Amino acid sequence: MRKKSIKSTRINEEVYREISNILRGEVKDPRISPIVSVTRTEVTPDLKQAKIYISVLGDEDALARTMEGLKSSNGFIRNRLASNLNLRNTPELIFIADDSIAYGIRMTKLIDEVNKGVEG
């Protein structure tokens, strides 16, 4: 497995920061949930693609609407990213739903239920 360089780590952090700012303040699509967060980004070493992992507070319907809104706003987000970052190539943005936060909450509730059964 290839070790990540400092440069790629720095680029990932910058893309993460800029995408978060763009989603929070500049995208006005009503389908995108107001409580959307970027959990992580992975930019390829050649800067051709960036996977953006998105978490949405709400149900599956809110996640589906947000993903649809992000897909339609992709060009605008990429344009804003290009103007905010000075990169050789502006990566193609691929939005991926990240359910790790919901999974963690569900597991915590299950552990709490098991602990109540043991104590009670």
Side-chain angles (χ1 to χ4, degrees):
M1 190 166 152
R2 191 171 165 179
K3 185 178 176 184
K4 285 195 169 196
S5 70
I6 293 171
K7 180 180 177 184
S8 70
T9 303
R10 193 177 74 234
I11 290 173
N12 279 329
E13 290 173 359
E14 285 296 320
V15 170
Y16 171 85
R17 187 177 306 115
E18 287 300 325
I19 294 289
S20 296
N21 290 337
I22 292 167
L23 289 179
R24 188 177 329 109
E26 298 182 35
V27 176
K28 303 295 184 206
D29 193 319
R31 293 174 289 188
I32 297 175
S33 171
I35 306 174
V36 62
S37 62
V38 178
T39 55
R40 75 176 193 262
T41 58
E42 294 176 3
V43 181
T44 57
D46 63 356
L47 303 177
K48 296 289 184 190
Q49 290 183 333
K51 293 180 183 176
I52 315 296
Y53 293 87
I54 300 291
S55 179
V56 176
L57 183 65
D59 58 355
E60 292 294 320
D61 187 42
L63 177 63
R65 282 193 319 269
T66 297
M67 295 306 287
E68 186 179 310
L70 288 172
K71 185 182 276 188
S72 93
S73 300
N74 195 335
F76 171 77
I77 297 169
R78 189 174 180 199
N79 186 353
R80 296 302 302 148
L81 183 67
S83 67
N84 294 343
L85 291 181
N86 186 16
L87 294 175
R88 181 177 47 232
N89 297 320
T90 303
E92 172 191 346
L93 304 177
I94 301 168
F95 291 100
I96 300 170
D98 185 6
D99 63 348
S100 62
I101 295 173
Y103 178 77
I105 291 171
R106 190 172 73 240
M107 292 314 251
T108 301
K109 286 181 182 178
L110 291 174
I111 291 169
D112 289 344
E113 288 175 14
V114 168
N115 286 339
K116 276 186 192 174
V118 171
E119 291 172 358

